[in-house]
Amino acid sequence: MSDGVANVDATDPFAILRTAEDRDDSNPLRLITVGVGIANYNDVLLEQLAQHGNGWYRYLQDVAQAQSTFSRENWLALSIPFADQARAQVRWNNESIVAWRLVGYENRVTADRNFEQDRKEFAEIPMGSATTMFFEVELSDTAIRDGVVDLGEVELRWLTPMSGESNRQQIQMVSGISRFGDDAMLDLGSVVALAADRYSWFGQAGLSEDTMLLAAEHLDELSWWFAHLPARILNSQAGEDFARLLVAMGDVAEEFEAEDPGYSR
């Protein structure tokens, strides 16, 4: 349990990660990381430690969530895997999707050939957990028919713990077209995902004047969409936390004028 900031003994996060990977497929032990705090918080280290240690990662937002997580009933559910070696593969409909991009989870991407293999590098899923993935897609001119889009299909594969039985399930992805304001929580998730995606990209590109100008444009647009979320979202703990992050990100680029980066598309 940590804020992910290494300040005693080994202080290099990457050195810590190199010691965490477990290549022994028969090892039943799992490294579970629990994140706390917000200042200087290192989410990447804790998430990667859990991945390399064949475990999972949780962030505790407040005392109530900590008490709930560590209650006997909930902890037993979390510590007993429901599915082992779980992975998903999305197959897009080429007639509907011109281009696509996964927002986040880049460090979990694997080659297509690995999907068919029961490998130990894939995730354990505890009971009661859920994972949301965001994709940015460009639709073809003929994609929308009768208000819906045939996006393709998603297939899941996993092993049943203890027995090792291999399972698979697939489902067609047929989606309606929603606009900003139709689903407030989805809107919040989209703004958060895009902000994280853009901020990460700017960090990798370097803090040049051109990069900061582009950062200002994107953050200003995302802040506008965030401000138009319902009051119940903005006044929630998640809304208040993200508002503080937007301010911190904006401080880096506030001296530049913003232009429209096109997120309203």
Side-chain angles (χ1 to χ4, degrees):
M1 181 182 294
S2 174
D3 61 1
V5 180
N7 46 29
V8 293
D9 296 329
T11 57
D12 180 358
F14 298 101
I16 295 173
L17 280 177
R18 285 192 291 271
T19 66
E21 187 169 8
D22 182 9
R23 298 183 180 276
D24 182 2
D25 293 345
S26 64
N27 185 1
L29 298 179
R30 298 292 181 263
L31 175 60
I32 297 171
T33 57
V34 179
V36 294
I38 191 67
N40 298 321
Y41 184 69
N42 193 334
D43 178 85
V44 174
L45 174 61
L46 293 176
E47 186 268 340
Q48 284 286 280
L49 281 172
Q51 180 177 341
H52 285 293
N54 293 326
W56 47 264
Y57 159 59
R58 287 288 187 280
Y59 176 74
L60 300 182
Q61 181 172 299
D62 50 38
V63 173
Q65 188 178 13
Q67 291 173 334
S68 173
T69 298
F70 291 112
S71 70
R72 178 176 174 81
E73 180 180 350
N74 285 351
W75 184 254
L76 286 175
L78 287 171
S79 59
I80 300 174
F82 172 79
D84 197 7
Q85 315 311 319
R87 62 269 194 202
Q89 186 174 57
V90 176
R91 301 184 184 93
W92 299 105
N93 179 356
N94 293 330
E95 295 182 1
S96 299
I97 306 301
V98 175
W100 63 274
R101 186 172 67 92
L102 178 64
V103 180
Y105 285 101
E106 292 92 347
N107 59 4
R108 300 295 183 95
V109 173
T110 185
D112 287 343
R113 65 180 181 276
N114 294 336
F115 182 75
E116 298 297 329
Q117 302 177 21
D118 295 334
R119 294 164 60 98
K120 292 296 182 181
E121 285 79 2
F122 292 109
E124 266 187 1
I125 306 295
M127 291 185 288
S129 64
T131 298
T132 300
M133 291 183 292
F134 278 90
F135 289 93
E136 182 181 18
V137 300
E138 181 179 350
L139 300 179
S140 67
D141 294 336
T142 59
I144 303 175
R145 296 185 177 90
D146 299 323
V148 298
V149 177
D150 179 5
L151 297 170
E153 65 179 15
V154 58
E155 182 177 356
L156 305 176
R157 291 199 65 190
W158 72 96
L159 299 181
T160 301
M162 305 301 289
S163 70
E165 178 186 0
S166 182
N167 309 274
R168 66 171 61 200
Q169 184 179 17
Q170 66 184 55
I171 189 172
Q172 291 295 121
M173 296 187 297
V174 179
S175 174
I177 302 298
S178 62
R179 305 294 180 185
F180 191 86
D182 292 345
D183 186 330
M185 291 303 296
L186 179 60
D187 294 337
L188 172 63
S190 300
V191 172
V192 171
L194 286 170
D197 176 70
R198 293 292 82 195
Y199 194 66
S200 173
W201 184 86
F202 297 137
Q204 296 172 10
L207 300 181
S208 66
E209 183 172 341
D210 290 342
T211 301
M212 286 296 96
L213 176 60
L214 189 60
E217 296 172 358
H218 284 243
L219 292 174
D220 184 72
E221 176 74 6
L222 290 169
S223 297
W224 187 91
W225 286 110
F226 176 70
H228 284 75
L229 292 171
R232 62 181 177 84
I233 299 294
L234 297 177
N235 295 332
S236 67
Q237 187 65 56
E240 292 176 357
D241 288 344
F242 184 64
R244 287 195 290 270
L245 287 175
L246 274 180
V247 170
M249 289 188 287
D251 284 345
V252 178
E254 63 180 356
E255 62 186 279
F256 298 97
E257 294 184 359
E259 298 177 5
D260 180 11
Y263 282 128
S264 56
R265 291 174 54 198

